[in-house]
């Protein structure tokens, strides 16, 4: 299914983008001091046992994950020298730690995204694969 008709008012319809390049243009650019982050996909099986996780278990793991991937930054992110005397806490491409459910949630083409404030970032991690919520 590469094309989906979407009707806004019942009278007109538009076709959603079919190519990856067109879909990428729908990812929002954060404004002001916001940071756009993507939630990493949950592993399909438990690492200790190899048992497959249920869809519900994977969904909850993704939603409540403290790990996010930084995709874009707003033009004013980390610019306040009083709040960030050491400079930016992270950069695009970093994995960060933040509180679960932080920010504005949205789904774009099946992937969960969050728009968070620059001061919501608590840590940067190089390899987030072992980090999970208790």
């Amino acid at each position: 299914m590469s094309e989906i008709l979407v009707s806004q008012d019942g009278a007109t319809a538009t076709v959603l983008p079919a190519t990856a390049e067109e879909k990428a243009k729908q990812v929002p650019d954060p404004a002001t001091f916001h940071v756009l982050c993507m939630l990493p996909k949950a592993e399909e099986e438990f690492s200790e046992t190899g048992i497959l996780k249920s869809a519900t278990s994977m969904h909850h793991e993704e939603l409540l994950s403290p790990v996010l991937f930084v995709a874009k930054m707003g033009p004013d992110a980390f610019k306040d020298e009083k709040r960030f005397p050491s400079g930016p806490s992270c950069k695009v491409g970093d994995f960060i730690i933040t509180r679960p459910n932080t920010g504005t949630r949205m789904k774009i083409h099946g992937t969960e995204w969050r728009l968070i404030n620059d001061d919501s970032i608590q840590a940067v991690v190089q390899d987030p694969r072992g980090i999970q919520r208790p």
Side-chain angles (χ1 to χ4, degrees):
M1 176 165 65
S2 62
E3 295 180 1
I4 302 171
L5 293 178
V6 178
S7 176
Q8 294 294 333
D9 58 8
T12 61
T14 58
V15 178
L16 290 178
T19 68
E21 185 177 319
E22 291 171 333
K23 288 179 182 179
K25 292 177 184 175
Q26 291 184 319
V27 175
D29 291 322
T32 63
F33 55 84
H34 293 95
V35 179
L36 182 68
C37 300
M38 182 176 69
L39 272 80
K41 294 280 185 197
E43 296 291 327
E44 292 185 10
E45 56 185 51
F46 292 100
S47 57
E48 312 84 41
T49 61
I51 296 173
L52 292 178
K53 297 176 184 175
S54 70
T56 303
S57 177
M58 287 180 55
H59 179 69
H60 286 217
E61 190 175 319
E62 286 176 3
L63 285 182
L64 298 174
S65 174
V67 177
L68 299 174
F69 177 79
V70 178
K72 293 182 177 182
M73 288 193 193
D76 300 325
F78 304 110
K79 297 287 185 189
D80 187 339
E81 292 180 14
K82 289 181 183 173
R83 290 173 53 220
F84 304 106
S86 301
S89 302
C90 65
K91 63 186 180 310
V92 171
D94 283 346
F95 286 97
I96 59 167
I97 305 293
T98 189
R99 292 183 175 173
N101 289 322
T102 296
T104 303
R105 292 177 46 201
M106 67 192 89
K107 224 171 196 177
I108 304 172
H109 298 290
T111 302
E112 180 94 15
W113 295 77
R114 300 268 170 86
L115 196 56
I116 65 172
N117 295 343
D118 57 2
D119 62 357
S120 297
I121 297 165
Q122 297 179 335
V124 176
V125 63
Q126 285 186 317
D127 186 355
R129 289 178 283 190
I131 299 172
Q132 60 187 9
R133 191 167 185 261

